[in-house]
Amino acid sequence: MDQDFTVEHSQIPSFKSHEEAREWFKGQFGDRFLLRMTDMKDGKRVNFYHLVKNPEVYQPYMESFASSVKHEITNMEVFKSYTTIEIDENGHVEFKD
């Protein structure tokens, strides 16, 4: 059974914390919701996640960063294989498609 990895922005609840938002996304998307990095933005801690829509394209792309072999992107499929989701410490969610 194929799972739909489309996120309806209007269906996302309001969250009070990063932890609450992370738990909701993990419950919806499981191991397709991956933490990529944490940084500071506007004085708040922000966690950047990838919601992986196409693992067959995404995984080799991410693995290429650890390789000494030069990786060449020849089309936009790589960037369509995931959505970046930012969640700040207060639970504010922002999508970067």
Side-chain angles (χ1 to χ4, degrees):
M1 179 171 114
D2 289 334
Q3 185 174 353
D4 183 8
F5 291 97
T6 304
V7 178
E8 270 306 315
H9 301 257
S10 64
Q11 300 299 316
I12 297 174
S14 293
F15 303 110
K16 296 178 182 172
S17 68
H18 163 258
E19 292 77 17
E20 188 178 315
R22 181 184 55 77
E23 285 181 31
W24 186 86
F25 279 98
K26 275 290 197 190
Q28 296 294 309
F29 303 108
D31 63 356
R32 296 271 186 112
F33 185 67
L34 307 170
L35 178 63
R36 299 313 309 165
M37 66 178 278
T38 300
D39 203 355
M40 295 298 289
K41 183 177 177 182
D42 299 327
K44 294 180 185 170
R45 181 180 172 159
V46 177
N47 295 281
F48 297 83
Y49 292 89
H50 285 175
L51 175 56
V52 180
K53 297 183 266 187
N54 186 341
E56 291 78 25
V57 173
Y58 179 83
Q59 198 62 37
Y61 169 64
M62 294 309 289
E63 289 172 356
S64 72
F65 290 109
S67 173
S68 60
V69 177
K70 184 179 176 183
H71 180 74
E72 189 173 314
I73 297 173
T74 58
N75 62 50
M76 296 302 290
E77 259 332 278
V78 159
F79 302 109
K80 294 177 183 177
S81 71
Y82 66 96
T83 297
T84 300
I85 301 173
E86 298 178 13
I87 305 175
D88 75 15
E89 60 194 38
N90 297 324
H92 175 74
V93 176
E94 194 171 323
F95 291 83
K96 302 292 186 179
D97 290 316

